[in-house]
Amino acid sequence: MTPGGMDGTALAGLREGLAGEVIVPGDPAYDEARTIFNAMIDRRPAMIVQCESQDDVSRAVAFGRDRGLRIAVRGGGHSVAGMSLCDDGLVIDLRRMRAVTVDPGARVARVGGGAVMRDLDRATEPYELATTGGRVSTTGVGGFVLGGGTGWLDRAFGLACDHLLSVDLVTAQGEALHTSEDEHPELFWALHGGGGNFGVATSFALRLHPLPVVTAMLLMWRPGAGRHVACAYRDFLESAPDEIGGGLLYLTAPPEDFVPADMVNKLACAVIVTFTGREQQARSIAAPLLHLGHDAEMITELPYADLQCMLDDPPGYRNYWSAEYLDAFPDPAVNLFCARATDMVIPSPSQHVLFPQGGAVARGPADYPVPWRRAPWIVHPFGLWEDPADDDRARRWARATREDVRPWSSGAVYLNFIGAEGEDRVIAGFGPENCQRLTEVKARYDPDNVFRLNHNIKPRPAGQKAAAGMAGR
């Protein structure tokens, strides 16, 4: 018998019909193929199917479903909980399906299901077009968009899912569907935040915006200035134009020429300002921050695709992230946030982040299952470290950060920012008012919950109320 209890004849038949490749334990490429972004995740699938076409995906889904295998779907591999891998099951690996084509006249990008942000951003760059992407270039487009999608451009343009024009999807039955506002509209609605619960997304059409250049500012202070800077940043963002994005964070100061030597590899408070326009105007708008007396600065105009690569998180680190979405960020919350920064696992790439929302995010469609879009602030402890001995400390820091600011929490959460935190958090991510509708869509397109290795929605027949316990088995 082959791994996972499959007979060799069946496996040979799958291989023969694929344009792509099947990798099993013992193959030279196996360990590389099962490596994902979070080094804490060490899972051993029975097989990894590296698909090259929608037909390959359909074959892989049918093969796994008919044999009762657990099925995981891998795009960018950035799920902090490792949802793109499984033990003893089948991984549908989309990384060979990463082509991006751009229609500059229509301002539309067609994106393969395995593309990462770098693929999308570099394809749109020659046309001076862009859409809201993740804040690092290695994030998978598929999981990002299907989860809602927040990034540097969201205050100006809205969430990534707001730009969805269509999705091509393979269902749990192996059926290929084209979804849009006119085709399978209820399923298309569910794909605006419902994640990978409804099938394998093999391609997307996304609306683009003109964006010739962005201005990026990175301002840094020694940590003693953090509270003053955080209050000033909060007050600035509350009246800033939508074209301004960015965030406030504590991080380990990098060994760059613009950083004073005595700050390198030590905790620093930083402000990132992004602006969808020229540097001169950005400086004028951001004057309240530029006058705070920062200790280091980097200010430049650059293409958006280059901005996306500037803060890429290095692979190979252990990861634990979480988030709390806030209705307000008053002085007591500022104090707690700044005090908690000293608990970070440093020196490391860990970041203690405050992101703003508002603008086009808050004005976006209220109907989509992304209830967190109305919160003006996000606290996002983002832990990366190397030593397994720091695992418990990093988790405690992230959970304590959330607990600190919980009195101001909206209750909702962006599920792409968290790992496996229980059923209540899954319901908070979709919104209790959306859960009934989502479970009915799930029941129609995946009644057996084949796609359950995610922030899961259990299928539920129409008319039966969704309740706690919605999240999957």
Side-chain angles (χ1 to χ4, degrees):
M1 297 291 283
T2 58
M6 296 167 286
D7 67 68
T9 301
L11 186 57
L14 174 63
R15 282 180 162 140
E16 183 178 351
L18 286 178
E21 185 176 0
V22 180
I23 298 173
V24 298
D27 287 347
Y30 179 75
D31 283 334
E32 185 281 328
R34 70 184 183 90
T35 299
I36 59 173
F37 182 77
N38 187 355
M40 292 182 75
I41 308 301
D42 183 20
R43 294 177 182 154
R44 302 186 63 84
M47 59 167 44
I48 300 168
V49 183
Q50 295 187 327
C51 300
E52 292 191 1
S53 67
Q54 188 175 65
D55 183 62
D56 279 2
V57 174
S58 294
R59 288 174 178 270
V61 169
F63 185 92
R65 181 201 63 224
D66 292 347
R67 287 157 182 81
L69 295 174
R70 291 161 60 87
I71 296 177
V73 181
R74 174 174 182 155
H78 264 250
S79 162
V80 69
M83 294 174 180
S84 48
L85 280 184
C86 58
D87 282 321
D88 301 321
L90 184 153
V91 173
I92 296 176
D93 187 339
L94 301 176
R95 284 178 290 175
R96 297 188 183 191
M97 300 173 61
R98 59 192 304 166
V100 179
T101 59
V102 179
D103 182 337
R107 296 179 181 168
V108 172
R110 301 193 182 279
V111 185
V116 297
M117 285 299 155
R118 181 190 302 114
D119 302 317
L120 174 58
D121 297 334
R122 293 301 181 190
T124 60
E125 181 182 13
Y127 308 103
E128 297 186 341
L129 297 170
T131 193
T132 300
R135 293 177 176 89
V136 296
S137 69
T138 55
T139 299
V141 176
F144 174 76
V145 173
L146 295 177
T150 171
W152 301 126
L153 301 181
D154 57 12
R155 280 175 45 84
F157 298 151
L159 299 176
C161 70
D162 297 341
H163 298 83
L164 264 180
L165 300 173
S166 65
V167 181
D168 292 319
L169 191 81
V170 173
T171 70
Q173 290 73 42
E175 181 183 7
L177 298 180
H178 182 76
T179 71
S180 67
E181 288 186 352
D182 299 320
E183 300 172 83
H184 305 279
E186 190 70 356
L187 174 58
F188 189 60
W189 168 83
L191 297 176
H192 289 74
N197 274 284
F198 309 99
V200 183
T202 58
S203 69
F204 306 82
L206 295 169
R207 186 174 64 254
L208 304 173
H209 297 266
L211 189 65
V213 68
V214 295
T215 298
M217 301 181 181
L218 176 59
L219 311 177
M220 300 177 69
W221 292 259
R222 291 170 176 83
R227 184 187 178 283
H228 177 63
V229 172
C231 289
Y233 179 77
R234 174 199 61 197
D235 297 344
F236 166 71
L237 256 294
E238 287 179 348
S239 60
D242 295 353
E243 293 80 8
I244 290 285
L248 175 131
L249 64 158
Y250 285 84
L251 77 171
T252 302
E256 300 288 349
D257 291 343
F258 68 90
V259 179
D262 68 306
M263 292 180 65
V264 171
N265 286 333
K266 295 180 180 177
L267 185 67
C269 177
V271 165
I272 297 172
V273 177
T274 61
F275 178 69
T276 54
R278 295 291 177 184
E279 180 180 333
Q280 183 176 0
Q281 188 178 4
R283 284 181 176 272
S284 176
I285 294 170
L289 300 177
L290 293 171
H291 293 158
L292 290 176
H294 48 275
D295 298 306
E297 73 169 41
M298 186 280 295
I299 301 176
T300 185
E301 285 184 6
L302 71 171
Y304 172 64
D306 289 349
L307 169 65
Q308 288 284 76
C309 299
M310 285 180 63
L311 295 176
D312 277 359
D313 306 308
Y317 281 84
R318 305 173 76 80
N319 281 245
Y320 187 85
W321 325 329
S322 194
E324 202 70 40
Y325 277 63
L326 309 183
D327 287 328
F329 192 57
D331 287 355
V334 172
N335 295 340
L336 290 166
F337 176 82
C338 293
R340 186 62 62 184
T342 59
D343 291 342
M344 289 171 58
V345 182
I346 60 169
S348 79
S350 293
Q351 300 169 8
H352 185 53
V353 185
L354 174 75
F355 284 131
Q357 287 201 136
V361 178
R363 293 194 303 273
D367 181 50
Y368 295 156
V370 284
W372 41 270
R373 76 185 309 148
R374 299 290 183 253
W377 298 105
I378 310 154
V379 168
H380 182 34
F382 189 92
L384 297 93
W385 66 98
E386 293 182 283
D387 189 347
D390 284 325
D391 287 0
D392 288 343
R393 177 184 170 195
R395 291 190 189 100
R396 287 197 304 270
W397 161 68
R399 293 165 181 162
T401 298
R402 281 189 55 216
E403 191 63 32
D404 286 344
V405 297
R406 190 162 298 176
W408 302 279
S409 174
S410 73
V413 65
Y414 174 39
L415 294 174
N416 283 1
F417 270 0
I418 72 171
E421 296 187 3
E423 295 181 359
D424 288 347
R425 290 280 270 176
V426 173
I427 293 170
F430 300 126
E433 66 283 359
N434 294 314
C435 287
Q436 173 69 29
R437 188 174 173 184
L438 287 168
T439 56
E440 290 172 4
V441 177
K442 179 77 169 183
R444 178 173 178 182
Y445 292 97
D446 185 12
D448 297 319
N449 206 10
V450 170
F451 299 111
R452 60 185 181 271
L453 301 184
N454 44 43
H455 293 293
N456 193 234
I457 298 164
K458 286 184 70 173
R460 195 172 302 275
Q464 183 178 341
K465 288 187 177 181
M470 178 193 73
R473 59 181 186 258

